[in-house]
Amino acid sequence: MTHDTSPARWVRWPAAHPLVGGGRSLPANTPRLAYGADYNPEQWPETVWADDVRLMREAGVNIVSVGIFSWALLQPTIDTWDFAWLDRVLDLLHANGIAVDLATATASPPPWLTELHPEVLPVNRLGETIWPGGRQQWRPTSPVFRRYALALVEKIALRYADHPALALWHVNNELGCHNVYDYSDDAAAAFRLWLQARYGALTALNRAWGTAFWSQNYSTWTQILPPRLAGTHPNPTQQLDFARFSSDALKDYLVAERDILRQITPSVPVTTNFMVMGEVKGMDYAGWASEVDIVSNDHYFLGSYPLAFEELSFSANLTGQIAGRNPWFLMEHSTGAVNWQPVNVVKAPGQLRRDSLTHLAHGADAICFFQWRQSLAGAEKFHSAMLPHVGEDSKVFRGVVDFGAELVALAELAGTRTVQARIGILFDWDSWWASELDSHPTDQLRYKVEAMAWYTAALANGLQADIVPVGTALADAGLAGYDLVIAPMLYLVPNALAAALDDYARSGGHLVVGAFSGLADIDDHVYSGGYPGAFRDLLGVRAEEFGPLLPGQTVGLEGTGLAQGATGSLLTHDVTVLPDVEVLARYDGGPFPGVPAVTGRIVGAGRASFVATVPDAVALAALVERFAAQSGIDSPLPAAVRGTVQLAARQSYTHEYLFYINHTMEAVRVGGIRGAGLVGIDLGQSSLTDGELALPGLGVAVLRRSLETLSAGAV
Ligand code: GLA
C-alpha cells in the first residue's frame, strides 16, 4: 500500500459541512461519521413524528434525507404551495440535533403536471409512453419538465436557505434509475444538438458512424434519430453515442439544479445519489463526480448474486476512486431485505455491520439506509428499514442502535482517506457500453462480470485492488502509483489511452490486458492489422480470429503455475507471438489447440501480459498471484486467511486504520499483527491477543497504528 502523508491531501471539511458537527459524544464542529436514512414523514400522521425523533436519537441518527418524493404535497396544484408540514419536520429534526439532507423534490412529477403536459412523459425504444403510476416519469431533455422542476428547486432553496437543519442539498434522486433512455422527440432534438457539438459537421458524423454501411449516409441533421426499434441491428456507433448522450443529458440536468442551489446557498454542499452497483451502467459516474461537492452512492446487497460480497466491495471501492479517494456518503443501503428482487433475501446476523463497515473501509463517512420507518402502504411496504413494521422491540432496531453506537466510537475515522492499493483494475463506461452491444463474436461476455472476476482474484490472494476509472491514466499523476494495472475487457481504446497505457508499461509498470480488449477506437471502429490492435505492438502478439466458446463449453489451459484442470471459457483468440514473448499457458483443445493463451513480455523498464481467454476463478487467481509476484507485490495477510479476509485501509495525517473484514460465515484467526490496536467498541466481538486477531463469522475489526510505527518497520 502506498502512503501519502502530505498535509495537502488530508481532508479538512469546512465547519458547515454535513460531515462536521456535534453528536452524542462529540463536541461541536468536529469531523463525524454520519448515520441516518431517507425519512418520509409525509407517509405518517404527525403524531408518529415525535416517536421518530426519539428513536432516531436512541439510534445515534444525525442526518436524514427529507422530501425526496414530496413534490405532489409541496405543490398540490399548479399554483398552490404547502410548505407548512415540511417546515414543522425540519424544525423538529433541528430541535433534536438531526441534520437534514434536503431533497429538491423533483424525482417524481405530480399527477397535475403530467395531466397538463403529457409531453414530459418518456418514450421507450418501441415508441411506447411511460405513463404515471410508478415514479420518475419525466424526460431528461424535456424543456417543459425543466421549467416546472427548476421553479420548484428555486422555491425550496429560497425557503430553506437559512434553515439551521440544512446540511446538504440532495438533487432529485437516483437520476436515471428508470428514465435514462428516452427515445422521445425531445430526446431526438437534444441528441442532434449533442452530436453537432461532438462532430461539428455531418461529414464527421457520417465518418464516425460508418454510414457508408447499409446506406445510412445522412444529408441533413433532421434525419438523425435515437436508435429506436429497428428491423435489425441498429448502427453500433449511433447506439454508443446515444448511451454517451443519455448520460450527459442527465448530468446536464443535475448541473441545472445544482447551479440554482449554488447561487442561492453557496456554502451548502450539493450531492445526488449515484447508483454504483450491480449492472447499473447508464450513467458514467466518473464523468459526473466533479459536478457535485460530495459523492454519494446507493448500494444494495445483491443477495442472489454469486459474488455478492465481492460486488459490494468492488462497488464501494469504485465509488471511493470516483470520489478521488476522498470521503463519500453512502446515501442508501438496507438493514435487511429489499422488495425489488425476484426473491428478497434477508440479511444474516452481523451482515448489516459487515456491509456497513466494508463501505466505511472504502471511504464512506456516512452510513445511511433506505429508509427510516418501514412503509405500511405503497410498492416498498416489504422493503426493510431502520425501524421495521414490528417496531422498536426488534432484532433489526437493536442492531441499528448498536451500530450507531459503534459509529460514534469510530468518529476519529471521519475525514480520513483510503490508502491507494498497488494493483489498479481499469474501469470504463465507454468500454462497458460498447463491448455489450449486439452483433459481436459472442453475446456471452459481460463487462462488469469480467472486471469483478479480476477483483475477486486479487481478493483470493489477500491483495487489495483499486477499481480505477480509466481517465486516471490520462490525468497528471497517471497510473504511477500502481505497480500492476489490469485492463479487463477494455474493448474501446482511444489513441491517447493506448499511448498512456503503453507509456505506463514501458516506463516500469506492469500492464495486464484481458480478453476482448484493445479492439476498437473511440468511434467503435476496429483497429486493423491483427487483434488486439491497440495493444498488439506492446504485447508482441497478433491474433487473426476470435474463437468464441458456446455457453457451458470450456477449453483446457496448460501452463506453469496453473493447476491440472484449469480452463478458459467464453472466448479464445488465435494468437501468434514475437520471439521475445514468453508463453505462460496454451490451449489444450478448443478452436485453437496449442495456441498461446497467456503471454508475457518485458517492455522497456516494465512488462506487458495478455490473457486471451476467460480463465476459471482458480486459474485467474493463480495468474494474478504470478503477475503480482512479478510486480513485487505480496499479501500482508497470512496465507490461511487469503480469500476469507479482506484487508482495506484508510489513513489520517498521523495514523493508518486497517479494516480486517471476514466476509465468510466461519470464524477465523489472523496472526502476525504488530504495532496496531483495536479502535472503537467492536460489538462484532473480535479480539486481539498477542498479535492474533480473532474474527467471528462476518466479523470486521478496525485496527489503528501510528504512521511513525509504520515507518519504523512494523508490518
Ligand atoms: C432506491 C431509491 C429509494 C428506494 C430504494 C429501495 O435506492 O432511491 O427511493 O426506492 O431504491 O431499495
Side-chain angles (χ1 to χ4, degrees), residues 539-554:
L539 297 169
V541 305
R542 178 175 176 271
E544 293 183 29
E545 284 184 298
F546 302 104
L549 302 175
L550 293 168
Q553 189 187 354
T554 58

Side-chain angles (χ1 to χ4, degrees), residues 360-598:
L360 201 74
H362 289 97
D365 264 12
I367 301 294
C368 296
F369 297 91
F370 178 83
Q371 61 177 325
W372 164 251
R373 187 185 278 274
Q374 189 170 15
S375 302
L376 297 182
E380 292 176 333
K381 58 183 177 293
F382 292 118
H383 192 295
S384 60
M386 292 177 94
L387 187 61
H389 285 155
V390 65
E392 63 189 283
D393 181 14
S394 59
K395 285 179 296 187
V396 167
F397 189 67
R398 279 189 285 277
V400 160
V401 172
D402 285 352
F403 189 66
E406 282 204 61
L407 278 185
V408 171
L410 290 174
E412 68 185 84
L413 272 101
T416 62
R417 303 182 84 231
T418 49
V419 175
Q420 186 178 347
R422 293 181 62 189
I423 303 176
I425 297 176
L426 297 178
F427 197 83
D428 180 32
W429 269 264
D430 258 7
S431 277
W432 195 354
W433 295 329
S435 67
E436 293 188 356
L437 290 177
D438 50 298
S439 55
H440 279 178
T442 171
D443 68 359
Q444 299 291 304
L445 286 163
R446 287 282 167 273
Y447 181 80
K448 173 101 186 251
V449 171
E450 288 314 306
M452 264 189 50
W454 286 94
Y455 185 73
T456 304
L459 289 184
N461 283 292
L463 298 170
Q464 179 69 350
D466 286 345
I467 310 302
V468 186
V470 79
T472 309
L474 302 171
D476 283 351
L479 297 166
Y482 294 105
D483 297 309
L484 174 61
V485 168
I486 299 167
M489 217 162 126
L490 194 64
Y491 165 88
L492 188 144
V493 184
N495 292 327
L497 177 60
L501 294 176
D502 194 282
D503 187 52
Y504 162 78
R506 292 185 198 276
S507 49
H510 183 175
L511 179 71
V512 176
V513 174
F516 211 57
S517 293
L519 298 173
D521 69 9
I522 193 166
D523 298 320
D524 197 12
H525 295 196
V526 172
Y527 285 111
S528 60
Y531 312 123
F535 301 124
R536 193 176 58 228
D537 291 344
L538 179 70
L539 297 169
V541 305
R542 178 175 176 271
E544 293 183 29
E545 284 184 298
F546 302 104
L549 302 175
L550 293 168
Q553 189 187 354
T554 58
V555 59
L557 293 178
E558 278 184 346
T560 33
L562 293 183
Q564 279 256 317
T567 59
S569 65
L570 301 179
L571 189 67
T572 62
H573 298 264
D574 64 336
V575 168
T576 50
V577 298
L578 292 177
D580 67 332
V581 170
E582 187 188 358
V583 175
L584 304 174
R586 291 179 186 274
Y587 300 114
D588 178 16
F592 309 123
V595 163
V598 183

Side-chain angles (χ1 to χ4, degrees), residues 38 69 135 173-174 273 298 300 332 340 370 380 383:
D38 283 18
F69 295 105
R135 61 177 178 184
N173 191 62
E174 289 192 341
N273 40 352
D298 292 355
Y300 287 92
E332 293 179 25
W340 41 261
F370 178 83
E380 292 176 333
H383 192 295

Side-chain angles (χ1 to χ4, degrees), residues 640-641 644-645 661-664 666-670 693-697 699:
V641 300
T644 305
V645 172
I661 305 164
N662 175 10
H663 48 92
T664 69
E666 308 304 322
V668 292
R669 288 174 176 276
V670 187
L693 179 66
L695 288 169

Side-chain angles (χ1 to χ4, degrees), residues 269-285:
V270 178
T271 194
T272 191
N273 40 352
F274 295 172
M275 294 170 285
V276 178
M277 63 165 287
E279 302 285 326
V280 178
K281 70 171 181 178
M283 284 66 63
D284 174 1
Y285 292 127

Side-chain angles (χ1 to χ4, degrees), residues 41 62 72 82 153 186 221 224 262 291 314 316 341 373 441 445 458 499 508 511 611 709:
N62 53 23
D82 178 8
V153 174
D186 281 337
W221 289 99
I224 299 171
R262 278 200 180 151
E291 305 294 356
F314 180 105
Q341 296 188 357
R373 187 185 278 274
L445 286 163
L511 179 71
V611 178
T709 318

